[in-house]
Amino acid sequence: MTAVSDRTPVTLVSSLHREAAARIANALALPGTALISHDLRALPLGYVLRQTRTVLGGADQFAIEGVKLEHGCATCTLRHDLLPLLRTLHRTPGVERIVVVLDPAFEPEPVVAEIVGTVVETDELPAGTAGDDVVVRATLTSVDAASWLEDATGDRTLTEAGVSAVEDERTLAQAAVAQVRFADVVVVETSGAADDRYRDAQLSAALRRINPAAIQHPVRPDDPFGPDELLISLATVRPESRRGRLTTPFDPLLDGCPPLEADCGIEVVTFEAPRAFHPERLHGALDVLLEGVICARGRLWLTSSPDHVLWLESAGGALGISKVARWLAARSEEELAAVDPEVRAMASLRWDGEHGDRHSSIVVVVHRADRAEIEEALTGALLTDAEIACGADYLAALPSPFGDVHHDPCSDSPRGESDSISHEETTR
């Protein structure tokens, strides 16, 4: 594996708007830079459009190529095209940095997961992951101040919104929130007009509570928008920023210390409980997280899956729950030895003699919902003292509408099978 200092740095650029992402990428096109983008709008025709631009030795070269779909899957095509290309560019003389412009339908975190976790096997390259040769140093996301909050709180799918050219049940809200949550710098395109000041302040408050570690870089129509401004923002990225770090099931939910007080109607609601949820009552309570809520995320302890951490994540009118790991209390001594010491230390702070580290913890960012209503609904879904007294066998046998993966609003078809955020079982 190549030492981190010798890997080629990669910057990811994401946005719901292609033009905005292109402006950021072009501003980062300094000498020694290779830019890559994949446009998925040609998917119905059986290919994706790959654009590359290299600024090397004083020459600016641009190429467009249609990449045939592998297995009829956009994600598989990117695995077969983007990952080998990153490894090849790492070996290309003169390439000092790489900028990857993501199609609006893609979220940055799963792309990073592919870079660090997927083995690339070709005749031209030694076996290994793209992460052996490159390292994601930063992610920049552009948001439109006029539309982002509406996009992030709605329930339109990517297909309905015209972002995806093929059927995609993920929502625009899921993509919008995922892009912001993973960003190190959020470029906010705003009019700068006096009439829009409250809207801009409300958006800033929302972004600060979703991703408090990210630098917000406002851009008005008459502002300079070039490498100097973006490089200054990148240089001031906070130590706690993501910088390509993947989400794990035991991450602090208030990472980055978001403001807890309300601002412009935007507020963070936290919910903690040292007891399990009743499966059917929780299912009935989930609607409270789909109205007036920008996003929610957290760990759930469910009676029907007592050994598993269930991860809840919502954006706008869409919500998903999935098994992501096992509680430390359900692991063997050998398995515990492999767990990150920081995770073990955090678990010890809440350790219960009977239930170990099992707990429920949810953080909700609201813009119209009532805090008391959320707290009341979630509290009402917890087990009662009388139910707990019935014993472990009774609790484990309670009917549950949740399987390994569950989506609300309930549907027969899953949302975002391959391109949405996923959490693999981890010992971190």
Side-chain angles (χ1 to χ4, degrees):
M1 179 183 292
T2 308
V4 173
S5 59
D6 295 329
R7 298 179 204 171
T8 303
V10 172
T11 298
L12 300 181
V13 180
S14 67
S15 177
L16 295 179
H17 305 281
R18 300 175 193 277
E19 298 79 5
R23 284 193 290 273
I24 294 175
N26 289 330
L28 294 173
L30 303 173
T33 302
L35 293 90
I36 313 167
S37 69
H38 287 86
D39 188 330
L40 304 186
R41 286 177 289 185
L43 276 176
L45 302 178
Y47 66 93
V48 297
L49 200 63
R50 182 225 289 156
Q51 302 179 58
T52 57
R53 179 186 174 192
T54 54
V55 187
L56 307 177
D60 195 336
Q61 299 179 334
F62 185 81
I64 301 178
E65 183 179 355
V67 179
K68 186 178 178 181
L69 285 178
E70 296 286 347
H71 314 300
C73 168
T75 303
C76 292
T77 299
L78 294 183
R79 286 175 182 171
H80 286 83
D81 191 67
L82 174 62
L83 302 185
L85 184 54
L86 291 174
R87 303 196 69 197
T88 299
L89 287 170
H90 166 72
R91 292 163 170 77
T92 302
V95 173
E96 300 173 6
R97 68 195 67 83
I98 302 169
V99 176
V100 178
V101 185
L102 301 178
D103 185 274
F106 275 90
E107 302 163 13
E109 185 165 10
V111 174
V112 177
E114 295 287 349
I115 289 173
V116 301
T118 299
V119 175
V120 177
E121 296 182 355
T122 70
D123 294 336
E124 297 79 17
L125 296 167
T129 68
D132 292 338
D133 295 326
V134 304
V135 58
V136 176
R137 293 291 191 194
T139 301
L140 293 91
T141 291
S142 175
V143 303
D144 180 2
S147 61
W148 189 88
L149 193 55
E150 180 179 354
D151 292 338
T153 54
D155 58 6
R156 288 189 301 161
T157 68
L158 292 179
T159 307
E160 292 168 345
V163 171
S164 175
V166 296
E167 190 63 30
D168 192 327
E169 288 300 311
R170 287 175 302 138
T171 64
L172 193 63
Q174 287 173 305
V177 170
Q179 290 174 359
V180 165
R181 197 185 293 284
F182 200 72
D184 301 298
V185 176
V186 181
V187 177
V188 182
E189 298 203 357
T190 179
S191 68
D195 290 347
D196 294 332
R197 286 177 183 170
Y198 181 81
R199 180 203 66 192
D200 293 348
Q202 186 180 45
L203 173 61
S204 179
L207 298 177
R208 200 177 308 118
R209 283 154 180 77
I210 296 170
N211 185 351
I215 297 292
Q216 294 186 34
H217 183 117
V219 175
R220 300 171 180 83
D222 56 348
D223 284 347
F225 189 80
D228 291 345
E229 289 74 29
L230 288 181
L231 290 176
I232 289 172
S233 288
L234 286 170
T236 56
V237 166
R238 300 180 179 93
E240 65 269 25
S241 189
R242 295 296 290 265
R243 298 176 184 267
R245 175 178 54 83
L246 297 173
T247 303
T248 73
F250 296 102
D251 281 350
L253 296 179
L254 293 174
D255 196 18
C257 300
L260 299 181
E261 71 277 6
D263 184 7
C264 298
I266 309 296
E267 186 177 9
V268 173
V269 178
T270 60
F271 179 84
E272 297 272 349
R275 61 175 62 192
F277 280 110
H278 186 289
E280 291 182 324
R281 287 205 299 274
L282 175 62
H283 186 257
L286 290 178
D287 284 349
V288 77
L289 299 180
L290 300 177
E291 292 292 338
V293 169
I294 301 175
C295 58
R297 65 205 315 251
R299 292 176 287 271
L300 307 179
W301 173 18
L302 206 61
T303 59
S304 53
S305 302
D307 291 342
H308 288 90
V309 181
L310 275 76
W311 182 263
L312 176 149
E313 188 148 1
S314 80
L319 179 148
I321 295 176
S322 57
K323 292 180 180 178
V324 292
R326 283 180 299 136
W327 296 109
L328 302 194
R331 303 190 191 192
S332 66
E333 290 297 326
E334 182 179 357
E335 291 171 325
L336 286 174
V339 175
D340 188 305
E342 184 177 341
V343 173
R344 294 202 304 270
M346 292 300 295
S348 68
L349 296 177
R350 64 164 80 243
W351 199 269
D352 175 82
E354 182 178 357
H355 302 297
D357 59 325
R358 296 177 177 90
H359 69 282
S360 292
S361 181
I362 305 171
V363 171
V364 189
V365 179
V366 306
H367 69 119
R368 287 197 305 266
D370 180 76
R371 168 190 289 271
E373 183 179 347
I374 292 173
E375 293 172 344
E376 181 182 357
L378 294 176
T379 300
L382 295 170
L383 292 176
T384 65
D385 291 341
E387 288 166 335
I388 293 173
C390 291
D393 291 341
Y394 166 81
L395 296 177
L398 288 173
S400 173
F402 303 102
D404 290 342
V405 179
H406 179 83
H407 297 278
D408 263 295
C410 295
S411 170
D412 292 334
S413 61
R415 290 186 185 271
E417 290 179 349
S418 60
D419 298 331
S420 61
I421 289 180
S422 62
H423 302 266
E424 300 296 333
E425 183 162 329
T426 177
T427 56
R428 182 179 183 273

